[in-house]
Amino acid sequence: MFRTALRNVLAHKGRLLMTVLAVMLGTAFVAGTLVFSDTVGNALRTQNSKSYTDIAVTVSDSEAAGRAYGGHDQAATTGPTLTEETRTKVAALPGAAEVRGVVSGFAGIADKKGALIGNGFSTTGTNYVPGADGTDPRYPLVEGRGPKDATEIALDARTAEKGGYKVGDTVRAAVNGPVMELKLTGTVHTNDPRVMAGGSLAAFDTATAQRLYLTPGRFAQLDVKAKPGTDDAALLAAVKQTVPQDGMIEAKTGRELAAEQDRMIEKLTRVLNTFLLGFAGIALFVGIFIIANTFSMLVAQRTKELALLRAVGATRRQITRSVLIEALLVGLTASVTGLLAGIGIAVGLKALLNGPMDANLPDGPLIVAPSTVITAIATGVLVTVVAAWLPARRASRIAPVAAMSAVEQPATQKGLRVRNTIGLLFSLAGFAALAAGVGGKEVKLVGLGAGTLLIGVFVLTPMLSRPLIALFAPLLRALYGAPGKLAQENAVRNPRRTAATASALTIGVTLITSLTVIGASVNQALDKATATDLKSDYTVAMQNFSKLSPEVAAQIAKAPGVSAMSTQRTVPLNIGQGQEDSEWVTAVDAATIDQLATIKVREGSADALKQGKLLVSSGRAENAGYKVGDTLAVTYPDGAKGSLTVGGILEANTALAGVVAPEAVVGPHALPGSGLDSVLVKGVDGPTEKLKQTLRDASGGNPLIAVKGQKEIKAESRQMVTGILNMMYGLLGMSVVIAVLGVVNTMAMSVFERRREIGMLRAVGLDRLGIRRMVRLESVLIALFGGLVGVGLGVLVAWAGVRTMADSLKGISTVVPPVQTVGFLLAAAVIGLLAALWPAHRAAKLDILDSIKSQ
């Protein structure tokens, strides 16, 4: 039977080609994901280990780090700190060879046109620490020298190249306030992962970095280099005895830090793997329909052959085993090819990210782990064999004598009834789970319901195919006459085959439609919220969401053309008698906020802020149990105690936080040096380019500071949603390609199967154009059927998903974009048309007499 299976594979290799391609593409997706993540993860770990090669112990001050990177309440010193005195004491320890004080934070570098170089979240500033030779070993010089005072700066070489800067040029740099114009003294090399990921590095002398990010003489971190032969654990113990004992100060060995970073890298790569493998799973799931359909058709075409094997003594188990061996050989061939293609995909993806996308991933060898090889091959083989199991079982049931005269065994009515019953049960269960998920706002339950419903509809597709395809019958007959009628009859002749072919396309259309509807719904909700909740003409804030300097707000207040402005500052308050609860409160200017944001209260007074009271959003009030008139005992960030009264319950507003307080009440208790979240501005003449430029000038031309009007805020939100959708579309593209292969495969094998019938049609007068048209229209009908079911399911699933967002996104409702929806159906029709070109050409080329003589 093994030899028989091998001969069958070789004899039908042309008919199995599309199946091999489908499995190969799915396996390539899996292998490419694993190879890419292993390669990048290994390179990142190698780079990470290099970063800690010379560090025996690191002492970090999390309070200082929070302040430097714009934390909310870490803006002032509340306990022991890492100072120059601490650094000197650690350096005097017997095992310490060198102790480096580190200061770092955000620093934006503007190009010569004033635009920010790199992305706002990876714009890094640090201190340059020269040794005896005047160079910093952590940042090797490429050209020039390091900075020596507050008028100088050094940049990483890539940033300098992007900005067109050379040593001696004046560089525009900023932290969270006005731009500083500094002399570029040198360029350096760095393996900082933030910079390698597309950011920038600005190096200041230590005193300047401390003034910009902390306070004079203070460090965020001490890196200790050990003398040769010193045990890291012993040095760590000595360091812990030397540095201040405080919960915010922590000491670890370099190996511990490297291990922590390795675990973080592993976690990130695991998340990436899971995400990408999910789409690979979708592609393979689509492939299952193609594999099952192919083997079902092969079994039907070989009915006489299989019946003859039964007649000469082959058992049912042997027949089943023979078909499964064919599937095993197909799966193995496709999986090995897919593995090789996946390695190529991983190499190409890394080159793409490092090239046009400028991701600057670290260099490293290509990692093809044994587990990747085993996983890729095993996955492809398993999927192929599992998909071929039902056709193999049907092959074993062919009767030795009764099947000798049949070309294909039609499905029994009992089998279809059982299938429809199962499909109906799954569909009802899916609907019930969707309804429960929508009612309870449970995303997981909605996902479970969507998956169950999808399975139920797939099982029911043979039953759905006849009425849905019949909708097109009048149009086809009117436009195309006999070929149109024949195409419609052929499409519903074998409902199971039509369903299996269409279902592969349905999966992709369902996911794409649901993503599109959810994206359109979110965009509309964000647009409406921006238009109704925000009355200000412009919002001024840091691009990286760090804190804005209060100096900027003071300059904006003096700017010409500004009619009203309010700062927004988020501070934590401890609430309750035991001070056990922490509440994030946004402080605003009580006198002007009603001109800059929509203030609508359900209960209490709209003037509560002007009376020194709180406004609480309805959702927050419900969750926390706050009511109008409640007096809350609070402890402010500076330790002062007081009380605040709830003056009003605010309708949901995306421009304001859950709890809003007057700046005049909360601001004086903010920690010294703490920054602002944003500044809302309204102009005398509304939003004008002149006002926008005035605000840019008032913010000192800082490239990290963004001045955004409502149009920019809406466009930014849409761009983010569109970017996510485009990425999803790209990842789903593989499943659509596989679905197209399925349509091509079905139509090609169907032409081979019906060659006698096609010959008879030619003999009674249907010309070659009619044959081609008949095959193409049949393919279009099958694709449209899959598209219709997919669009319907996609809209339903999206509706359920949107309903679960009602509490988290104000005013969201389901939006079905008509242009895109119709476009998906047209795309399905085009896919069907293109997939039928080759099969239709083959059908038209068949010789009439040879076709009639075929069995």
Side-chain angles (χ1 to χ4, degrees):
M1 296 305 294
F2 177 80
R3 288 196 300 270
T4 301
L6 181 59
R7 281 197 296 267
N8 283 328
V9 170
L10 295 175
H12 302 123
K13 53 183 178 293
R15 286 178 246 175
L16 290 169
L17 177 61
M18 296 301 171
T19 301
V20 171
L21 286 175
V23 178
M24 184 201 76
L25 289 174
T27 307
F29 205 152
V30 172
T33 296
L34 296 175
V35 172
F36 176 74
S37 59
D38 287 347
T39 299
V40 173
N42 178 72
L44 289 173
R45 286 189 293 271
T46 301
Q47 177 179 284
N48 177 58
S49 65
K50 291 179 180 177
S51 300
Y52 293 97
T53 300
D54 296 329
I55 298 177
V57 175
T58 290
V59 185
S60 58
D61 181 349
S62 58
E63 183 182 33
R67 175 179 179 182
Y69 284 96
H72 289 292
D73 60 340
Q74 294 93 353
T77 303
T78 58
T81 61
L82 301 178
T83 62
E84 178 60 29
E85 181 183 357
T86 308
R87 192 194 71 80
T88 303
K89 287 181 179 179
V90 174
L93 292 173
E98 180 185 336
V99 179
R100 176 192 181 93
V102 178
V103 184
S104 61
F106 291 117
I109 306 299
D111 61 20
K112 293 185 177 180
K113 294 182 180 179
L116 179 68
I117 300 175
N119 61 72
F121 296 97
S122 301
T123 50
T124 306
T126 190
N127 59 321
Y128 188 85
V129 185
D133 61 352
T135 65
D136 186 340
R138 178 167 293 185
Y139 303 111
L141 284 168
V142 176
E143 187 180 2
R145 61 172 177 81
K148 294 182 178 180
D149 57 42
T151 66
E152 298 179 342
I153 190 174
L155 299 176
D156 69 281
R158 291 180 72 248
T159 298
E161 182 181 355
K162 287 180 180 179
Y165 290 121
K166 296 181 180 179
V167 173
D169 288 351
T170 297
V171 174
R172 292 168 56 83
V175 179
N176 66 344
V179 163
M180 303 172 288
E181 295 192 348
L182 307 173
K183 180 182 178 180
L184 181 64
T185 61
T187 58
V188 300
H189 173 72
T190 178
N191 59 3
D192 188 317
R194 292 168 296 184
V195 181
M196 301 295 283
S200 61
L201 176 73
F204 308 94
D205 70 286
T206 298
T208 300
Q210 289 173 330
R211 175 176 59 81
L212 291 173
Y213 299 118
L214 301 171
T215 53
R218 187 180 182 188
F219 297 105
Q221 183 174 303
L222 298 178
D223 292 339
V224 185
K225 184 178 180 180
K227 292 179 180 178
T230 302
D231 180 67
D232 288 355
L235 181 58
L236 175 64
V239 169
K240 284 183 176 180
Q241 295 297 320
T242 307
V243 300
Q245 302 300 308
D246 183 79
M248 305 300 289
I249 296 177
E250 186 178 20
K252 293 182 179 181
T253 65
R255 284 197 296 269
E256 288 176 328
L257 286 174
E260 285 181 5
Q261 291 295 318
D262 283 348
R263 285 193 291 271
M264 186 178 297
I265 292 169
E266 183 180 353
K267 183 178 179 180
L268 289 174
T269 54
R270 189 162 56 245
V271 170
L272 176 65
N273 260 351
T274 303
F275 178 72
L276 293 178
L277 288 176
F279 288 92
I282 293 171
L284 287 169
F285 184 62
V286 171
I288 287 175
F289 291 93
I290 298 173
I291 298 163
N293 209 20
T294 300
F295 277 93
S296 294
M297 295 177 76
L298 284 175
V299 166
Q301 292 169 12
R302 288 159 44 199
T303 299
K304 291 185 178 181
E305 174 190 331
L306 295 171
L308 182 59
L309 288 173
R310 289 295 314 281
V312 297
T315 64
R316 287 187 173 183
R317 180 175 296 180
Q318 286 177 314
I319 296 295
T320 302
R321 191 182 303 153
S322 172
V323 177
L324 291 180
I325 289 173
E326 291 179 41
L328 176 66
L329 293 173
V330 169
L332 186 61
T333 302
S335 300
V336 172
T337 309
L339 173 63
L340 297 176
I343 295 172
I345 289 173
V347 173
L349 182 58
K350 186 177 179 183
L352 175 66
L353 291 173
N354 277 340
M357 300 185 70
D358 197 28
N360 200 31
L361 296 174
D363 293 329
L366 187 70
I367 305 297
V368 184
S371 59
T372 298
V373 176
I374 294 171
T375 301
I377 294 178
T379 300
V381 170
L382 183 63
V383 165
T384 310
V385 172
V386 168
W389 184 76
L390 282 177
R393 293 280 294 174
R394 283 199 291 271
S396 69
R397 292 192 177 98
I398 295 176
V401 177
M404 295 295 285
S405 60
V407 176
E408 180 177 351
Q409 295 187 108
T412 63
Q413 290 301 314
K414 180 182 178 181
L416 288 175
R417 282 196 299 270
V418 170
R419 176 169 180 157
N420 291 340
T421 301
I422 294 173
L424 186 61
L425 291 175
F426 267 96
S427 298
L428 291 175
F431 273 119
L434 274 180
V438 169
K441 303 295 192 296
E442 292 288 341
V443 177
K444 290 183 179 179
L445 194 55
V446 167
L448 176 63
T452 306
L453 178 61
L454 199 62
I455 293 172
V457 171
F458 286 161
V459 178
L460 286 174
T461 42
M463 183 181 72
L464 296 173
S465 62
R466 289 185 180 277
L468 288 179
I469 290 177
L471 293 175
F472 299 98
L475 180 63
L476 291 175
R477 292 176 183 179
L479 293 178
Y480 301 105
K485 179 182 178 181
L486 290 169
Q488 185 259 333
E489 292 176 350
N490 288 334
V492 297
R493 177 189 297 184
N494 190 324
R496 284 185 172 179
R497 181 182 302 172
T498 298
T501 306
S503 294
L505 188 59
T506 297
I507 297 171
V509 175
T510 298
L511 294 173
I512 289 173
T513 301
S514 60
L515 287 173
T516 302
V517 172
I518 291 173
S521 303
V522 170
N523 277 333
Q524 185 193 66
L526 293 174
D527 286 351
K528 286 169 59 178
T530 301
T532 58
D533 295 346
L534 197 62
K535 294 162 68 175
S536 64
D537 294 323
Y538 291 104
T539 300
V540 182
M542 300 290 287
Q543 290 193 50
N544 53 16
F545 300 109
S546 61
K547 293 298 181 178
L548 187 68
S549 171
E551 298 175 9
V552 175
Q555 293 299 320
I556 289 174
K558 301 174 186 177
V562 174
S563 64
M565 65 154 283
S566 172
T567 60
Q568 288 188 308
R569 180 205 305 268
T570 305
V571 294
L573 300 183
N574 289 328
I575 296 178
Q577 295 298 327
Q579 309 296 312
E580 66 278 359
D581 298 325
S582 182
E583 184 80 72
W584 290 105
V585 175
T586 297
V588 299
D589 189 332
T592 59
I593 190 62
D594 58 345
Q595 301 176 51
L596 301 160
T598 302
I599 304 292
K600 290 184 179 180
V601 294
R602 292 185 178 179
E603 301 176 43
S605 172
D607 294 328
L609 293 175
K610 295 176 183 178
Q611 299 165 5
K613 299 178 181 180
L614 299 176
L615 282 177
V616 182
S617 71
S618 55
R620 184 65 191 130
E622 183 179 347
N623 292 335
Y626 295 150
K627 297 179 180 178
V628 174
D630 286 353
T631 299
L632 309 176
V634 301
T635 299
Y636 295 102
D638 62 354
K641 295 184 181 296
S643 63
L644 291 172
T645 301
V646 177
I649 304 300
L650 184 69
E651 286 191 6
N653 188 308
T654 56
L656 299 173
V659 181
V660 186
E663 170 68 20
V665 174
V666 175
H669 298 290
L671 295 175
S674 63
L676 307 172
D677 293 342
S678 63
V679 179
L680 302 179
V681 181
K682 195 169 187 63
V684 174
D685 300 319
T688 63
E689 282 300 318
K690 182 179 179 181
L691 176 61
K692 189 173 185 179
Q693 186 58 49
T694 299
L695 296 176
R696 288 197 187 106
D697 295 339
S699 63
N702 188 333
L704 275 173
I705 296 177
V707 180
K708 300 175 185 175
Q710 289 195 17
K711 287 183 179 179
E712 287 91 348
I713 293 173
K714 291 179 182 178
E716 192 174 77
S717 300
R718 284 184 169 273
Q719 185 177 13
M720 180 177 65
V721 173
T722 301
I724 294 173
L725 287 178
N726 288 338
M727 179 181 65
M728 295 291 191
Y729 292 156
L731 293 172
L732 288 171
M734 186 70 77
S735 61
V736 175
V737 170
I738 292 175
V740 173
L741 293 177
V743 179
V744 175
N745 195 40
T746 298
M747 297 310 301
M749 294 185 71
S750 180
V751 166
F752 176 83
E753 189 177 81
R754 304 200 310 254
R755 60 193 184 278
R756 185 175 183 181
E757 174 187 319
I758 292 171
M760 292 294 293
L761 289 172
R762 289 290 314 281
V764 297
L766 191 62
D767 59 12
R768 289 184 175 181
L769 177 61
I771 294 295
R772 280 196 295 267
R773 183 171 291 169
M774 177 188 72
V775 175
R776 288 198 296 262
L777 289 175
E778 180 184 351
S779 179
V780 169
L781 281 173
I782 293 172
L784 271 176
F785 168 58
L788 279 171
V789 175
V791 166
L793 281 173
V795 171
L796 179 62
V797 171
W799 169 81
V802 167
R803 293 297 300 160
T804 63
M805 302 181 194
D807 291 341
S808 57
L809 190 55
K810 175 189 172 184
I812 190 169
S813 59
T814 305
V815 177
V816 182
V819 175
Q820 288 95 321
T821 304
V822 173
F824 295 150
L825 293 176
L826 291 177
V830 171
I831 285 172
L833 181 62
L834 294 176
L837 291 179
W838 176 58
H841 177 74
R842 285 190 59 194
K845 288 291 186 181
L846 290 176
D847 183 86
I848 297 176
L849 295 179
D850 288 343
S851 299
I852 293 174
K853 289 190 297 182
S854 63
Q855 298 296 320

